[in-house]
Amino acid sequence: MSIWTSKLVLAPGLVLGLAIGQPCAGMAETPLPKAVVLSAQDITVQGPAGYCPDPATLSQTGGAVAVLLGRCTDQAAASPAVIFVTFGRAGSGAAMAAGGQEMAAFFASDAGRKSLSKRGRAADVSVTSALSVGDLFLFRVSDRGEGVYWRGMTAMNGRTVSVKVSGPDLDEAESRKLVESTAKALRRANR
């Protein structure tokens, strides 16, 4: 099974700004755009209510796309959170066809845990929950280098899509709900 992952490196101030709830672009009060459209890849990145993509964090490599979403403005009512979204290369969505049981087995393996690890070490990671909700595979990850977070994976238009959520004050239920609502927003934007 082939799973596309990305190790996107961002400036510490950028991640800090997102984590404390500030919009990314220049850390100003200027609202972020509601959506980012990448016509060449036929991808639209749009978050759930209150969260917007930051074009300054957009990374494209070989047809794969990664971008961070944060609160649309520093006045947004949404909880401070960082939403990391990746779209795999065209055709990568076939990896999701095996279903939740095979996905859970992969992420429980050394190779799967290594792919999730911030430091690239399988021993640092454990998957503490894994379940399927419709076509979304959800799993809760504990990473010594990053803490505990929820991640969701699905296929959209032939691409594997991964959504990872973290935030300073998000509880487990809120984090999971944000993964699910982000996946729904992405699916609506990419019909």
Side-chain angles (χ1 to χ4, degrees), residues 125-179:
V125 173
S126 64
V127 176
T128 60
S129 297
L131 62 140
S132 292
V133 177
D135 61 357
L136 180 65
F137 175 68
L138 276 166
F139 51 112
R140 188 170 180 262
V141 178
S142 177
D143 184 341
R144 285 187 202 143
E146 200 166 2
V148 178
Y149 61 88
W150 277 95
R151 175 172 272 183
M153 294 183 75
T154 190
M156 288 182 205
N157 299 334
R159 297 173 182 266
T160 298
V161 178
S162 175
V163 176
K164 177 182 161 189
V165 171
S166 60
D169 299 316
L170 290 178
D171 64 26
E172 183 176 342
E174 190 176 15
S175 178
R176 177 181 160 180
K177 183 179 176 185
L178 194 49
V179 169

Side-chain angles (χ1 to χ4, degrees), residues 81-102:
V82 177
I83 305 171
F84 182 54
V85 174
T86 59
F87 283 81
R89 293 175 178 90
S92 62
M96 298 299 299
Q101 286 184 322
E102 190 168 321

Side-chain angles (χ1 to χ4, degrees), residues 35-104:
V36 172
V37 178
L38 304 167
S39 299
Q41 286 85 9
D42 195 27
I43 293 173
T44 299
V45 181
Q46 183 173 345
Y51 298 93
C52 296
D54 184 352
T57 67
L58 181 67
S59 172
Q60 299 183 67
T61 306
V65 175
V67 67
L68 288 176
L69 289 82
R71 295 190 324 169
C72 296
T73 71
D74 61 355
Q75 303 299 314
S79 297
V82 177
I83 305 171
F84 182 54
V85 174
T86 59
F87 283 81
R89 293 175 178 90
S92 62
M96 298 299 299
Q101 286 184 322
E102 190 168 321
M103 296 293 292

Side-chain angles (χ1 to χ4, degrees), residues 12-24 27 69-71 79-83 166-169:
L14 181 64
V15 173
L16 177 63
L18 276 168
I20 62 174
Q22 299 297 319
C24 299
M27 301 299 177
L69 289 82
R71 295 190 324 169
S79 297
V82 177
I83 305 171
S166 60
D169 299 316

